[in-house]
């Protein structure tokens, strides 16, 4: 098993506090959050991570002041227009997960176009969870199966969920100091390793990501097995172990 996670998911939290500490409006923190995401995408490519899933706007974030909500919608539309060409050039495939019905036509068109333009890219899959909730995802998947008259099994639900195109996250990071899931990948994070960082999202730099990756590399993932079983599965096959011992005794 590789020490580098295949799929990293991040709750990008702390933009508002980043702005407040500078006596700036909250939207300035969200703007800085986009910069931090751009840096994080580049770092993930450099570290060999294949899938990055970020939480950008939750089902519950509609409850924020109207001005902040409209500011976030505008920021998404602008970020799409500005960032997609470079992301495409860098081989990033964009995918949006979440309920699109609540979004304006303009934003919806932007999401569709970004997905279409980057569909053939293979270097990194970037899933942006926008108007997303883990409960919404489970319910919409169950509803889709019910409408098709399909039995509701774990495999069928997996196939109907918003991240069906990627394996489950190996590492789930939350920035901003809170230690909660806040309705993120409730289903898919069943066996993710959790890492909580005190850094506010705009300050989440290379050193902060590397700290999370180093911590991940030290974890033992057991998936319900015992530690001894995991060690046995990781050990080299006996023949190769014997060869290695013979070689070692010659030096
Ligand atoms: C996360 O930052 C971004 C969104 C939820 C859109 P916050 O806006 O929640 O920042 P804090 O937690 O108030 O600092
Ligand atoms: C979670 O952050 C959602 C996103 C980062 C998009 P929140 O700031 O909304 O979470 P709570 O409300 O503190 O749990
Ligand atoms: Mg927050």
């Amino acid at each position: 098993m590789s020490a580098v996670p295949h799929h990293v998911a991040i709750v990008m939290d702390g933009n508002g506090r980043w702005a407040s500490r500078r006596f700036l409006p909250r939207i300035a923190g969200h703007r800085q959050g986009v910069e931090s995401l751009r840096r994080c995408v580049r770092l993930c490519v450099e570290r060999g991570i294949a899938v990055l899933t970020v939480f950008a706007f939750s089902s519950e974030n509609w409850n924020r002041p109207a001005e902040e909500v409209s500011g976030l919608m505008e920021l998404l539309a602008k970020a799409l227009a500005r960032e997609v060409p470079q992301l495409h050039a860098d081989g990033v495939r964009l995918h949006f997960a979440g309920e699109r019905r609540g979004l304006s036509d303009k934003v919806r068109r932007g999401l569709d176009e970004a997905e279409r333009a980057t569909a053939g890219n293979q270097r990194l899959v970037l899933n942006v969870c926008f108007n997303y909730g883990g409960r919404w995802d489970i319910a919409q998947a169950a509803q889709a199966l019910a409408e098709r008259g399909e039995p509701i099994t774990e495999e069928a639900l997996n196939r109907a969920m918003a991240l069906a195109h990627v394996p489950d996250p190996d590492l789930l990071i939350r920035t901003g100091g809170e230690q909660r899931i806040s309705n993120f990948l409730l289903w898919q994070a069943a066996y993710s390793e959790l890492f909580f960082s005190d850094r506010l999202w705009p300050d989440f730099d290379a050193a902060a990501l590397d700290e999370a990756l180093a911590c991940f590399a030290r974890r033992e993932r057991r998936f319900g097995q015992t530690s001894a079983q995991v060690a046995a599965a990781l050990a080299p096959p006996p023949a190769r172990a014997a060869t290695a011992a013979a070689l070692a005794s010659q030096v």
Side-chain angles (χ1 to χ4, degrees):
M1 201 194 79
S2 160
V4 177
H6 179 85
H7 181 175
V8 174
I10 308 184
V11 179
M12 308 183 292
D13 195 25
N15 295 346
R17 278 163 285 166
W18 185 92
S20 304
R21 284 176 196 177
R22 289 163 178 76
F23 305 101
L24 294 169
R26 290 178 59 86
I27 195 68
H30 296 311
R31 245 180 258 126
Q32 201 59 36
V34 176
E35 299 299 315
S36 190
L37 178 55
R38 188 194 299 132
R39 171 174 59 197
C40 189
V41 167
R42 204 188 59 232
L43 289 169
C44 286
V45 169
E46 286 171 13
R47 304 293 185 269
I49 291 159
V51 183
L52 173 65
T53 299
V54 295
F55 203 7
F57 190 89
S58 76
S59 313
E60 290 74 27
N61 287 146
W62 292 106
N63 297 324
R64 294 194 175 193
E67 187 188 300
E68 181 167 345
V69 171
S70 61
L72 283 164
M73 296 296 154
E74 212 173 292
L75 189 60
L76 173 65
K78 280 193 185 143
L80 283 172
R82 207 180 48 224
E83 307 290 339
V84 170
Q86 189 59 50
L87 289 169
H88 181 48
D90 292 342
V92 176
R93 180 181 159 199
L94 267 161
H95 181 93
F96 293 91
E99 172 61 91
R100 297 199 187 190
R101 258 172 299 187
L103 306 174
S104 72
D105 286 350
K106 185 182 165 197
V107 167
R108 271 193 341 219
R109 239 178 295 125
L111 305 186
D112 289 343
E113 277 165 24
E115 284 183 340
R116 212 173 316 118
T118 62
N121 294 338
Q122 294 191 348
R123 191 176 256 172
L124 175 88
V125 175
L126 173 59
N127 298 308
V128 178
C129 296
F130 198 93
N131 198 13
Y132 173 91
R135 289 176 174 176
W136 164 82
D137 198 6
I138 295 167
Q140 69 79 25
Q143 179 68 27
L145 297 185
E147 280 168 14
R148 297 200 292 263
E150 266 187 65
I152 298 184
T153 63
E154 287 191 22
E155 291 70 26
L157 276 171
N158 264 329
R159 282 194 302 272
M161 296 200 46
L163 297 186
H165 57 295
V166 290
D168 287 345
D170 301 292
L171 171 63
L172 192 157
I173 299 171
R174 181 174 184 139
T175 66
E178 312 293 353
Q179 303 195 354
R180 55 178 173 254
I181 296 288
S182 298
N183 200 13
F184 195 29
L185 307 167
L186 297 183
W187 175 272
Q188 298 86 344
Y191 263 104
S192 304
E193 294 297 324
L194 308 180
F195 183 87
F196 298 101
S197 168
D198 285 333
R199 290 284 183 103
L200 303 176
W201 172 247
D203 295 328
F204 193 78
D205 58 9
L209 177 66
D210 286 341
E211 187 194 349
L213 295 178
C215 187
F216 174 83
R218 291 193 298 271
R219 304 270 179 98
E220 182 186 63
R221 305 185 75 194
R222 290 194 287 276
F223 297 100
Q225 291 191 311
T226 66
S227 199
Q229 286 176 298
V230 173
L234 288 176
R240 270 175 46 209
T243 315
L247 283 173
S249 68
Q250 286 168 17
V251 287

